[in-house]
Amino acid sequence: MNRATIVLAEDHPSVAEQLRKLLGSAFDVVAVVGHGEALVKTALRLKPDVVVTDIGMPGLDGIRAAQELVHQMPSLGVVFVTVHNDPGLARKALEIGSGYVLKTSAGEELVDAVAAALDSRRFVSAALGPLEPLLGNTARPAPTDRT
């Protein structure tokens, strides 16, 4: 059975390497890029199952890059990994993607968040509290929920 493919976007090389190793234990990380423009270009070319992206990157940030990708690849899973423990930002991210993981929790939660995205489920770091209040009525349906 083939392992799911991931494109990872993270602008700090040491963090990118840690995340690549973590994700590589369960998935095939087919590319690691350092900014949003490269994420869009690479994901459109490689067509991964999931993109895992930092939010705060130079140039095109992770949220805007993910918006562009989801517009062009509606079934793409998107998991945000970030330092921002901000329910408002999490809500905005979940309008686009299916996962929001704090970098401080990535070791325990990132693989589960990607697995959830692959299974059309949502995932939010436990530190942000229950998922339902973050979703409201504005969250994008999980990729396979589309008609």
Side-chain angles (χ1 to χ4, degrees):
M1 186 169 145
N2 292 339
R3 293 181 356 147
T5 57
I6 293 176
V7 170
L8 171 63
E10 167 58 57
D11 61 320
H12 294 97
S14 62
V15 175
E17 181 59 18
Q18 290 173 341
L19 295 175
R20 186 196 62 74
K21 285 180 181 177
L22 175 66
L23 291 166
S25 68
F27 311 105
D28 285 335
V29 181
V30 295
V32 179
V33 299
H35 56 86
E37 292 89 351
L39 173 59
V40 172
K41 183 177 181 179
T42 302
L44 289 175
R45 181 172 50 85
L46 296 177
K47 306 220 181 308
D49 298 304
V50 175
V51 296
V52 174
T53 182
D54 188 8
I55 291 177
M57 295 185 291
L60 188 67
D61 68 36
I63 288 183
R64 291 185 5 235
Q67 284 174 320
E68 188 171 327
L69 284 170
V70 167
H71 178 73
Q72 295 186 53
M73 300 170 62
S75 64
L76 178 67
V78 177
V79 175
F80 295 96
V81 59
T82 182
V83 297
H84 302 288
N85 187 351
D86 176 349
L89 186 58
R91 189 174 299 109
K92 181 177 180 181
L94 291 170
E95 291 174 5
I96 303 157
S98 60
Y100 190 92
V101 176
L102 298 176
K103 286 184 181 177
T104 55
S105 304
E108 299 83 30
E109 297 179 339
L110 188 56
V111 168
D112 290 341
V114 172
L118 288 166
D119 197 30
S120 301
R121 293 179 290 113
R122 299 202 178 274
F123 187 98
V124 174
S125 279
L128 285 159
L131 176 63
E132 291 75 22
L134 295 174
L135 293 178
N137 293 327
T138 61
R140 165 182 165 226
T144 59
D145 292 347
R146 293 193 182 155
T147 57

